Amino acid sequence: MTKLQRDTVVRAALTLLNEVGLDGLTTRRLAERLGVQQPALYWHFKNKQALIAALAEAMMAENHDRSVPEPDEDWRAFLTANARSFRRSLLAYRDGARIHAGTRPSAPQMASVEAQIRLLHAQGFPPAEAASALLLISHYVVGSVLEQQTPLEATEGRTDGETASDETAPLLAAAMRALDESGPDASFEYGLTTIVEGLAQRRER
């Protein structure tokens, strides 16, 4: 029997993820999809968490095309392009934000993060503040996508989920209509612009 390749497992897991979501992605189901016994998966991944980390890495490698700054690129332009690219990568797969949440840069990603910090440091950020700025952007992107990818039915039935009406909360009702009409892209861009502008003001102090 041909040895099961690591990339084959990852690709199958990503396909299955889109079909059943993170909660439905089990090693048993993945083994069935690949036509192998579960122990065959442990050759590459000792547990589901290790598999999830590999999926997060694969998602970034496949879709995140703005992780490395251009030479002498303005830091504002890079952070904006980087955040947009990161968001697209998470949205490309079902539960992408949940897959990525809590992971740390893997060895292949270290050079990209180093280049990002070097860019910010060269344009006025101390290394620790540069790292904090990158974390802030990362957390914002993951949180934003997590909200977008959470099914509406998951929030239905909550006691705090009453819909605002023009009679009880006219300003809130109008605001929610405007936000619904503009969509998640506009909301994301508003938050991203606010963060980048805030970092610029902090840098100039």
Side-chain angles (χ1 to χ4, degrees):
M1 179 181 295
T2 303
K3 178 182 173 182
L4 191 63
Q5 298 297 313
R6 188 178 191 276
D7 287 347
T8 301
V9 177
V10 171
R11 296 313 313 172
L14 287 172
T15 299
L16 188 58
L17 174 68
N18 271 345
E19 295 174 8
V20 302
L22 179 56
D23 293 333
L25 179 61
T26 64
T27 54
R28 178 189 60 78
R29 184 172 283 176
L30 179 57
E32 291 175 354
R33 172 62 58 89
L34 290 165
V36 300
Q37 298 297 314
Q38 277 182 269
L41 302 179
Y42 301 145
W43 180 266
H44 299 292
F45 306 104
K46 61 182 180 180
N47 51 41
K48 184 177 178 179
Q49 193 56 46
L51 174 63
I52 289 174
L55 296 186
E57 182 178 326
M59 288 163 57
M60 294 300 102
E62 179 181 334
N63 296 298
H64 194 6
D65 57 7
R66 288 294 276 119
S67 61
V68 179
E70 302 290 338
D72 301 320
E73 184 174 11
D74 178 77
W75 68 269
R76 300 169 189 81
F78 172 71
L79 286 186
T80 300
N82 176 63
R84 290 170 178 165
S85 176
F86 183 24
R87 177 174 179 252
R88 287 195 300 272
S89 299
L90 297 181
L91 286 172
Y93 286 96
R94 181 175 174 181
D95 290 332
R98 291 180 62 195
I99 289 289
H100 194 277
T103 62
R104 289 177 175 270
S106 61
Q109 298 168 328
M110 291 294 182
S112 297
V113 178
E114 176 71 14
Q116 294 170 11
I117 293 178
R118 188 182 303 115
L119 170 73
L120 296 178
H121 181 48
Q123 298 188 37
F125 289 83
E129 288 196 19
S132 293
L134 293 171
L135 279 174
L136 173 61
I137 294 288
S138 177
H139 292 167
Y140 170 67
V141 174
V142 172
S144 176
V145 174
L146 181 62
E147 289 286 346
Q148 187 174 345
Q149 290 184 324
T150 300
L152 180 62
E153 57 267 23
T155 62
E156 291 179 350
R158 293 181 181 174
T159 56
D160 60 351
E162 297 297 330
T163 302
S165 69
D166 290 324
E167 291 74 25
T168 60
L171 292 178
L172 176 58
M176 294 305 296
R177 283 196 296 271
L179 289 174
D180 288 341
E181 290 172 3
S182 61
D185 291 348
S187 294
F188 175 79
E189 289 295 328
Y190 177 84
L192 179 59
T193 298
T194 301
I195 290 173
V196 173
E197 289 179 352
L199 289 171
Q201 292 177 9
R202 184 180 181 86
R203 173 177 169 271
E204 292 169 359
R205 290 177 183 173

